[in-house]
Amino acid sequence: AQSVTQPDIHITVSEGASLELRCNYSYGATPYLFWYVQSPGQGLQLLLKYFSGDTLVQGIKGFEAEFKTSQSSFNLRKPSVHWSDAAEYFCASSPNAGNNRKLIWGLGTSLAVNP
Amino acid sequence: KAGVTQTPRYLIKTRGQQVTLSCSPISGHRSVSWYQQTPGQGLQFLFEYFSETQRNKGNFPGRFSGRQFSNSRSEMNVSTLELGDSALYLCASSYNDPYEKLFFGSGTQLSVL
């Protein structure tokens, strides 16, 4: 069965430091992949998505993610974290074909940013 | 453009009761998806509606149902509430295909006592 794993439940980084949030998916073929962010009291917002093509995807707020089929990973990165990036981050995947495509979500990684 | 609006924001119910949650999508969006979010299970897909038809369904019991109206507004209903139904229920809309970009509402926090 399709699954998404975010190995890190909670991460703390200092403001200005680089960030990498891990995401691994389990699916027989190349899925559609997404990263969403959920800030306190706000709805989830799409950061970036990968459907096909260039494996390095640029998103909003200075985030990027790289799709690595050999590792079944889609890790999210940011070179310099801002205090406003503190939030919950969710990775999600969906099969790229078929009639029963549903988004499968990881459990999320909570990011804290130290001043 | 107004975002996705969910009402009510908070609900407190007792076991055995039923509840109806409402979602107004972004104007022009025809796809509405519902999710249940809990700390232990994360986000779990309930169902998706497109042009008043259920297009996709998750693995939830029949107590969970939904519908979509001709103006794309959607409601979900949970009958015979159980303690385990306590969760944040999120609605998301997209123009056509939920795999392009989902716009989420702030959710309805349901507490079952």
Side-chain angles (χ1 to χ4, degrees):
Chain A
Q2 183 188 356
S3 66
V4 174
T5 303
Q6 294 181 246
D8 305 305
I9 297 172
H10 185 86
I11 284 182
T12 300
V13 299
S14 297
E15 191 168 18
S18 63
L19 171 71
E20 182 170 31
L21 303 182
R22 296 184 291 164
C23 172
N24 295 97
Y25 65 90
S26 170
Y27 182 61
T30 300
Y32 292 164
L33 294 161
F34 308 82
W35 275 99
Y36 279 83
V37 60
Q38 188 175 34
S39 299
Q42 297 186 24
L44 285 123
Q45 181 182 22
L46 178 68
L47 285 174
L48 46 79
K49 61 181 187 280
Y50 173 79
F51 281 4
S52 63
D54 193 345
T55 56
L56 185 62
V57 180
Q58 301 297 322
I60 62 171
K61 303 186 179 188
F63 285 93
E64 67 177 26
E66 186 170 12
F67 170 62
K68 293 184 177 180
T69 185
S70 61
Q71 299 175 20
S72 297
S73 69
F74 189 56
N75 295 348
L76 182 71
R77 301 193 295 246
K78 186 169 185 178
S80 178
V81 170
H82 188 261
W83 63 266
S84 60
D85 292 325
E88 189 90 16
Y89 291 81
F90 293 91
C91 181
S93 79
S94 166
N96 60 16
N99 294 325
N100 196 28
R101 298 182 293 155
K102 315 172 201 179
L103 274 176
I104 304 298
W105 298 76
L107 292 181
T109 297
S110 177
L111 174 66
V113 180
N114 286 334
Chain B
K1 216 175 194 180
V4 177
T5 303
Q6 291 188 247
T7 56
R9 185 69 181 91
Y10 300 95
L11 264 179
I12 300 175
K13 294 285 187 180
T14 57
R15 280 181 300 173
Q17 287 187 309
Q18 75 165 14
V19 66
T20 299
L21 312 181
S22 180
C23 173
S24 293
I26 289 174
S27 178
H29 284 191
R30 295 190 295 170
S31 170
V32 174
S33 303
W34 288 89
Y35 289 87
Q36 182 193 68
Q37 184 178 20
T38 58
Q41 300 292 322
L43 278 124
Q44 295 188 85
F45 173 73
L46 281 155
F47 26 67
E48 184 227 347
Y49 286 86
F50 180 81
S51 293
E52 302 179 67
T53 301
Q54 188 180 85
R55 187 161 65 174
N56 229 326
K57 187 177 186 305
N59 299 320
F60 277 80
R63 301 186 296 107
F64 292 81
S65 63
R67 60 178 175 168
Q68 186 180 33
F69 303 94
S70 58
N71 61 359
S72 291
R73 190 177 71 85
S74 178
E75 289 180 348
M76 68 163 281
N77 184 278
V78 187
S79 62
T80 319
L81 283 166
E82 300 177 0
L83 294 179
D85 297 333
S86 295
L88 180 66
Y89 290 87
L90 294 167
C91 167
S93 76
S94 63
Y95 178 70
N96 206 9
D97 187 341
Y99 313 108
E100 293 188 352
K101 181 176 183 178
L102 289 171
F103 292 83
F104 281 84
S106 297
T108 294
Q109 183 68 53
L110 172 65
S111 297
V112 182
L113 306 178

